[in-house]
Amino acid sequence: MSGYRARASIVLLVLSGVAGPTWAKPQSPEPALITLEAINSAAFAEPKPDKPALSKKRRGKGDARPDPLLIKVQVLLDRARFSPGAIDGRDGDNLKGALRAYAAAQGLPTGNGLDRALFDKLQATSADPVVTSYTITEEDVTGPFTKIPPKLEEQQDLKALDYTNVREMLAERFHMQRELLSTLNPGKPLDKAGTVITVADVPPLERGKPKDLPMSPKVARIEVDKVARRVQAFGEDGALLRSYPASIGSEEKPAPTGSFKATRAAFDPWYTYNPKYAFKGVKTRRSFKIAPGPNNPVGLVWIDLSIPSYGIHGTPEPEKVGKTESHGCIRLTNWDARDLASHIQKNAKVDFVDN
C-alpha cells in the first residue's frame, strides 16, 4: 500500500469511529531520589573551560531539586562554623558568603567560589558522613506543639511559642530547610515514632543555657557587615573564628552604624514589645510580653547590645535569614545565634560596617 493510501485509510477509520493506530506520548523520567549514599560520596569535579564551576542546576535556576554536592558542602561549612544558613542544597548568597568567609580564614583566594582547593580544605575538616540516619522518637512526635497566630498581639496569650509540628522541629534541630527534609525522605511519615529518616549530620540544636560560658574559642569582637549581610566573629588574636548569614535592619528601622558592646546573652528569652517600636501591623499602644520558645519573635537567643532596643538574636523563620529584612536588629538562625552566644565574651566589641 502506498504511503498516501495508508494515510487515507487511517483518516477513514478515525472518521468512522474505528480506533486507528496510536503513538505513545513520551513521558518525562521521574527525577532520581537524592540518597544518603549519593550525598556522602559526592565529589568535586573540575568544570570544563567553557562552563562555570556550578551549573545552572546547582545554582538552583530552572531546577527545583537540590544538589548532593552542595548539600555536602553546606554541611561541612556548618560544622566548621562558617554557616550557610538553613541547609538547602542550592547555590545562593548565603552559601557564597560562607565560602568567601571560609576561604579568607584559610588564606585562600576569596573570589573563586567553590573550587578544588576550597573543597579539599573543607573535606579535610572531617571524615564523618555529612548526612546520617535518624529514628524519630515518641518524644519527638508528642511535642508539645503550638499553633502560632500571625499577629504579635495574639501571641501574648500563649504560654509558650513552641514548634508548630514535627517537620518544623526536626528541620531546625538539624539545621535544614523544611523542604529539603521532605525531599530527602519522600513518603515517610514524619509524625510517626520509629520512622527512620535522613538528616544532616550536624550538632543538633539544643535548648536552655549551656554550661561554662563563654566556651572556647572565645569571641572578642563581632563585625556586622551590612553589605555582605553576615556576622563575623573574631578571637582575641584577630583570627576569624565564625561567620553567619544575617538579616540586618530595614528601611523602616535601619541597623545602627558605629561600634558598641555585647553586654549580655539570654537563652530562651521573653520578648517585650515596646509601642515606641511602631512595627507595621501592630496596632496596640501598650507594652506586652511574649513567652519563650523557638517561634518567639527573637527565637531562642538574645544578645543585648549597648544601644537601646538593639540586639543580635534568633528567629522563628530560619529559612529567611539573609534573604529578608529585620526590625533593625541582627537576626540569625536559632542555631547560629546560640553558637555565637555560647562563645562571646562579655563586653565584646561589636562593629557595624558598610563596606
Side-chain angles (χ1 to χ4, degrees), residues 2 13 25 39 59 62 65 73 119 189 196 202 218 274 279-280 297 302 309-310 329 333 339:
S2 68
L13 285 169
K25 191 175 182 179
I39 298 169
R59 290 193 189 107
R65 294 187 64 73
V73 169
F119 180 77
V196 179
V202 295
K218 297 178 181 179
N274 187 331
F279 291 161
K280 290 181 180 179
W302 171 268
S309 78
Y310 283 92
C329 292
T333 66
D339 180 66

Side-chain angles (χ1 to χ4, degrees), residues 181-202:
L181 180 65
S182 296
T183 298
L184 297 185
N185 300 284
K188 293 185 177 181
L190 299 180
D191 57 352
K192 183 179 179 181
T195 303
V196 179
I197 60 173
T198 297
V199 298
D201 193 359
V202 295

Side-chain angles (χ1 to χ4, degrees), residues 38-325:
I39 298 169
N40 285 329
S41 63
F44 180 82
E46 294 290 349
K48 295 180 180 179
D50 59 337
K51 292 186 178 181
L54 294 178
S55 65
K56 286 185 177 181
K57 178 179 178 181
R58 286 183 179 161
R59 290 193 189 107
K61 298 179 180 179
D63 193 299
R65 294 187 64 73
D67 186 287
L69 175 62
L70 295 190
I71 296 172
K72 184 173 190 174
V73 169
Q74 288 175 327
V75 172
L76 291 173
L77 284 166
D78 183 286
R79 287 179 183 170
R81 304 304 186 186
F82 287 78
S83 173
I87 297 166
D88 61 5
R90 296 183 177 89
D91 193 18
D93 290 340
N94 285 348
L95 175 57
K96 288 183 175 72
L99 289 170
R100 282 194 297 268
Y102 184 75
Q106 298 298 319
L108 297 172
T110 59
N112 295 342
L114 182 63
D115 58 14
R116 169 63 66 185
L118 191 51
F119 180 77
D120 287 348
K121 274 282 187 182
L122 274 171
Q123 188 153 252
T125 60
S126 175
D128 296 331
V130 294
V131 291
T132 188
S133 295
Y134 174 78
T135 302
I136 298 175
T137 67
E138 287 287 351
E139 185 179 3
D140 292 333
V141 300
T142 55
F145 301 106
T146 304
K147 184 177 181 180
I148 311 294
K151 294 184 178 180
L152 287 181
E153 297 100 316
E154 298 171 346
Q155 294 177 13
Q156 66 179 306
D157 299 325
L158 300 176
K159 294 182 179 180
L161 274 290
D162 300 304
Y163 293 111
T164 58
N165 54 52
V166 182
R167 178 174 178 250
E168 180 190 26
M169 179 268 294
L170 290 173
E172 181 152 310
R173 180 186 295 176
F174 297 107
H175 310 183
M176 299 170 68
Q177 181 195 56
R178 282 170 284 185
E179 182 182 343
L180 179 64
L181 180 65
S182 296
T183 298
L184 297 185
N185 300 284
K188 293 185 177 181
L190 299 180
D191 57 352
K192 183 179 179 181
T195 303
V196 179
I197 60 173
T198 297
V199 298
D201 193 359
V202 295
L205 174 63
E206 297 179 349
R207 296 279 301 273
K209 184 178 180 180
K211 298 178 181 179
D212 302 323
L213 296 175
M215 297 179 179
S216 184
K218 297 178 181 179
V219 172
R221 185 177 75 86
I222 295 172
E223 185 176 278
V224 181
D225 191 327
K226 299 182 189 178
V227 177
R229 290 183 292 181
R230 292 195 74 85
V231 168
Q232 317 273 47
F234 297 86
E236 292 181 342
D237 59 355
L240 178 57
L241 303 175
R242 281 154 159 71
S243 177
Y244 317 100
S247 294
I248 306 170
S250 64
E251 291 184 7
E252 178 188 4
K253 190 176 181 183
T257 298
S259 296
F260 307 93
K261 292 182 179 180
T263 56
R264 69 182 184 92
F267 296 84
D268 282 331
W270 284 76
Y271 172 78
T272 301
Y273 178 77
N274 187 331
K276 292 181 180 180
Y277 300 161
F279 291 161
K280 290 181 180 179
V282 181
K283 298 180 180 180
T284 182
R285 296 182 180 179
R286 295 182 178 180
S287 176
F288 60 86
K289 291 187 176 183
I290 297 178
N295 274 306
N296 180 283
V298 295
L300 292 175
V301 176
W302 171 268
I303 300 173
D304 207 18
L305 301 183
S306 59
I307 175 173
S309 78
Y310 283 92
I312 302 173
H313 62 82
T315 178
E317 299 179 299
E319 296 168 6
K320 294 184 179 181
V321 166
K323 303 172 185 178
T324 58
E325 297 179 329

